[in-house]
Amino acid sequence: MRKIIGATVLLLASGYTFAAVDPNSPSVMSNFSYDYYEARIGISPNTYGAGFSMSVHPNAHVIGRVDSELEGDYDLTGGLGFHAPINNWADFTGEMLVRMVDHDDSRGSDTGMELNLGVRQWLGPQLEVGGKVGYLSIYDDDDWLGAAYARFHSTELFSVAAEARFNDTYDDQVILSARFKY
């Protein structure tokens, strides 16, 4: 057991050193930062959530999210994402995520997966827009999902956004978020 834990720690530490690349280097293939913490509030239904993303490679990142109505329910998500530049102002993105959902009913929690593809685009020096479409499979439900957002970067380290989610865990919903880059 100690060998497995030691190997895991070494693997995670070595992956983090790959992510510590000079951001001004031409080998960095991204127009956006994928290193952040995020706090969210959802409207209709009211939900509260948090998330993070951490680069593990110049073109890959790890994602974690949790959302809840704080009524014994949750939507826990984690996985890997990739990003690649389309041009000097846009990135093509994709994510492979494991999702665990509990709707506070008699079924308990359900586990499934999400696959999505999207685009992030700069419209100006401080305004970012984007969207994604994807496939969601949880329990016996297979469905599509989508999202579109606008994010205002007030400083290099802080941004706020409004996002419309379609056909997600909490159905159609508007999300307001604050993101802190690290």
Side-chain angles (χ1 to χ4, degrees):
M1 185 66 174
R2 288 184 296 196
K3 290 180 182 179
I4 293 173
I5 292 172
T8 303
V9 168
L10 286 174
L11 180 64
L12 291 174
S14 66
Y16 191 72
T17 59
F18 286 129
V21 176
D22 178 18
N24 297 320
S25 169
S27 66
V28 174
M29 300 295 291
S30 177
N31 295 305
F32 299 91
S33 172
Y34 291 87
D35 295 320
Y36 60 83
Y37 296 107
E38 183 174 64
R40 291 187 295 280
I41 296 176
I43 300 169
S44 185
N46 290 338
T47 59
Y48 304 92
F52 83 96
S53 175
M54 180 179 80
S55 296
V56 294
H57 181 272
N59 292 93
H61 54 280
V62 175
I63 306 153
R65 296 189 306 243
V66 63
D67 290 289
S68 177
E69 289 181 290
L70 301 179
E71 296 176 357
D73 65 309
Y74 60 84
D75 177 11
L76 182 63
T77 306
L80 294 172
F82 73 88
H83 48 276
I86 297 172
N87 57 32
N88 289 339
W89 304 281
D91 275 5
F92 177 68
T93 64
E95 297 170 339
M96 301 168 288
L97 306 170
V98 174
R99 298 201 43 179
M100 182 180 286
V101 177
D102 187 352
H103 291 288
D104 189 33
D105 57 13
S106 61
R107 286 191 314 188
S109 63
D110 296 324
T111 305
M113 67 161 208
E114 174 186 337
L115 300 172
N116 65 59
L117 297 173
V119 175
R120 296 176 74 176
Q121 169 80 44
W122 286 110
L123 285 186
Q126 294 179 294
L127 185 61
E128 167 193 348
V129 295
K132 68 179 180 180
V133 294
Y135 170 77
L136 180 63
S137 175
I138 297 178
Y139 192 60
D140 288 333
D141 300 327
D142 296 338
D143 218 340
W144 67 274
L145 61 86
Y149 71 89
R151 177 170 301 282
F152 176 72
H153 295 260
S154 59
T155 69
E156 191 171 320
L157 299 177
F158 179 75
S159 63
V160 293
E163 177 180 12
R165 290 186 182 175
F166 307 102
N167 215 22
D168 210 337
T169 302
Y170 295 102
D171 295 322
D172 298 345
Q173 189 178 29
V174 174
I175 305 284
L176 304 175
S177 67
R179 187 173 283 181
F180 307 92
K181 181 180 161 187
Y182 65 89

